[in-house]
């Protein structure tokens, strides 16, 4: 497949009269009947600059996972987006190990009002890059109120040779470029009011817990519902992030069910894969009163969706973060 260099025209911040300079920003796949255009940054956009990005087909957006094409064209786990990307600079506020393979990554966005106000729903994401790296698509792990106070938090899986891996090696004060907040997030209005949807089932695997954490800490009236469960899968406890938050999540009205596929020590909890654990103990579900939220491994999302549909849950009540 041919590739096209996406060109952005930039100028010094707040200096619209300065002569702009051209810079190759990224190499992007060329879709059929598509072209890249050059656009001048407009002062009204504050600290952002414009870059036209062609259409992509993205699979589930998690922590440090770029969109990729899947082997099966299942609409339930695929989003088609076509949006102009605006880039801004932000310093790293913190990088720390969250578990064996995930990093807690925090950006300081207090210098950009558009970013502070852009995160309005759990499940939204940004693109982040460092230097000439390919952008990484990162689900925002913190609640919108955290962005309003000047920070954005992420859970990144450190994969060597990827942009996500590079981000995990940065230190406080290093600067990255990130896009505006993107995506519509979880459509929780589809499972409201709480009195009508007494059962909410949440499913996450690995770094897919990122947007689920944002949702849990933003709140969705869990305490007003009869049955709210989170099935959270990981290989073992050493690879399960946010364990220190489980008590707070449970206090909000959510039953947390960790599921380990390969426990390394004594383990009395659910074992195997998330979809199997749910199938074994899903109990009696009233489809018309049930909603679900999914993020994580593609096969998990497919299998859980099949189980929910068979139980009478409407497809539009099975929510994804894109």
């Amino acid at each position: 497949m041919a590739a096209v260099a996406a060109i952005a025209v930039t100028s010094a911040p707040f200096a619209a009269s300065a002569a702009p300079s051209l810079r190759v920003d990224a190499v992007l796949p060329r879709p059929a009947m598509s072209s890249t255009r050059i656009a001048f940054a407009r002062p009204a956009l504050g600290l952002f600059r414009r870059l036209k990005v062609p259409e992509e087909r993205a699979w589930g957006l998690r922590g440090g996972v770029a969109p990729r094409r899947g082997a099966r064209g299942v609409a339930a786990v695929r989003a088609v987006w076509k949006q102009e990307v605006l880039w801004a600079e932000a310093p790293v506020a913190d990088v720390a190990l969250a578990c064996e393979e995930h990093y807690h990554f925090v950006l300081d966005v207090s210098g950009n009002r558009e970013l502070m106000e852009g995160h309005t729903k759990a499940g939204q994401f940004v693109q982040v890059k460092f230097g000439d790296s390919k952008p990484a698509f990162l689900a925002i792990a913190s609640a919108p109120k955290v962005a309003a106070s000047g920070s954005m938090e992420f859970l990144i899986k450190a994969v060597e040779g990827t942009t996500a891996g590079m981000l995990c090696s940065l230190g406080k004060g290093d600067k990255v470029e990130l896009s505006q907040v993107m995506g519509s997030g979880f459509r929780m209005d589809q499972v409201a009011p709480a009195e009508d949807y007494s059962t909410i089932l949440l499913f996450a695997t690995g770094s897919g817990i990122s947007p689920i954490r944002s949702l849990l800490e933003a709140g969705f009236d869990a305490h007003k519902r009869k049955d709210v469960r989170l099935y959270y899968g990981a290989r073992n406890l050493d690879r399960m992030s946010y364990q220190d938050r489980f008590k707070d999540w449970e206090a909000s009205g959510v039953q947390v069910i960790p599921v380990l596929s390969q426990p390394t020590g004594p383990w009395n909890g659910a074992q195997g894969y998330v979809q199997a654990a749910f199938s074994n103990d899903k109990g009696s579900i009233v489809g018309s009163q049930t909603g679900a939220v999914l993020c994580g491994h593609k096969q998990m999302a497919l299998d859980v969706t099949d189980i929910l549909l068979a139980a009478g849950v409407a497809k539009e009540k099975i929510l994804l973060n894109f």
Side-chain angles (χ1 to χ4, degrees):
M1 178 179 291
V4 59
I7 310 294
V9 181
T10 63
S11 59
F14 309 113
S17 61
S21 59
L22 288 176
R23 178 167 69 83
V24 175
D25 239 49
V27 176
L28 302 168
R30 184 192 298 274
M33 302 302 291
S34 177
S35 61
T36 300
R37 68 178 178 82
I38 297 176
F40 285 88
R42 300 176 184 174
L45 291 173
L47 301 180
F48 280 114
R49 55 188 175 78
R50 292 177 178 270
L51 174 64
K52 183 68 175 179
V53 173
E55 180 178 333
E56 294 285 349
R57 296 186 180 272
W59 292 89
L61 295 170
R62 295 169 279 160
V65 178
R68 60 185 184 277
R69 297 180 187 273
R72 296 171 61 184
V74 181
V77 291
R78 184 178 67 186
V80 177
W81 61 272
K82 185 175 183 181
Q83 185 175 355
E84 188 175 46
V85 181
L86 312 175
W87 294 101
E89 192 175 68
V92 175
D94 189 29
V95 182
L97 196 64
C99 70
E100 190 172 280
E101 60 178 7
H102 296 156
Y103 279 79
H104 179 63
F105 187 77
V106 185
L107 291 178
D108 178 358
V109 297
S110 60
N112 191 304
R113 182 175 297 277
E114 291 95 333
L115 285 168
M116 293 176 65
E117 297 177 349
H119 188 203
T120 59
K121 289 184 180 180
Q124 291 179 299
F125 65 96
V126 296
Q127 298 183 47
V128 182
K129 61 182 179 175
F130 178 71
D132 294 327
S133 71
K134 182 179 180 180
F137 288 66
L138 304 181
I140 303 172
S142 49
K145 62 185 178 183
V146 177
S149 68
S151 295
M152 277 188 186
E153 300 177 13
F154 307 88
L155 184 68
I156 303 179
K157 182 176 181 179
V159 180
E160 187 176 354
T162 66
T163 300
M166 293 173 59
L167 295 176
C168 293
S169 67
L170 298 180
K172 183 177 181 179
D174 288 335
K175 293 183 178 180
V176 301
E177 289 187 84
L178 74 161
S179 71
Q180 77 273 35
V181 179
M182 308 178 79
S184 57
F186 295 121
R187 291 290 308 278
M188 298 306 291
D189 59 302
Q190 295 292 313
V191 290
E195 293 76 13
D196 292 345
Y197 296 91
S198 57
T199 299
I200 296 293
L201 304 166
L202 305 103
F203 303 89
T205 56
S207 58
I209 193 65
S210 297
I212 300 292
R213 175 203 153 190
S214 180
L215 177 62
L216 292 170
E217 297 179 5
F220 55 96
D221 293 329
H223 63 287
K224 295 182 180 180
R225 306 177 196 261
K226 294 180 180 179
D227 182 11
V228 181
R229 284 174 268 164
L230 165 63
Y231 290 86
Y232 177 16
R235 180 176 297 181
N236 52 56
L237 288 176
D238 291 335
R239 296 194 177 191
M240 180 168 279
S241 299
Y242 299 143
Q243 294 179 56
D244 58 331
R245 296 177 179 269
F246 288 0
K247 288 184 178 180
D248 289 338
W249 296 350
E250 296 235 352
S252 72
V254 179
Q255 179 187 2
V256 180
I257 304 171
V259 183
L260 304 183
S261 60
Q262 298 179 32
T264 55
W267 176 248
N268 296 321
Q271 187 170 340
Y273 293 115
V274 163
Q275 53 268 50
F278 171 58
S279 181
N280 291 336
D281 69 357
K282 67 177 183 294
S284 179
I285 295 177
V286 180
S288 61
Q289 299 174 12
T290 300
V293 182
L294 289 73
C295 188
H297 192 273
K298 182 179 70 174
Q299 193 60 52
M300 180 276 289
L302 290 168
D303 291 345
V304 168
T305 297
D306 287 344
I307 296 171
L308 292 170
L309 292 175
V313 180
K315 184 176 180 181
E316 63 269 19
K317 307 302 179 182
I318 303 173
L319 310 179
L320 306 169
N321 66 321
F322 49 87

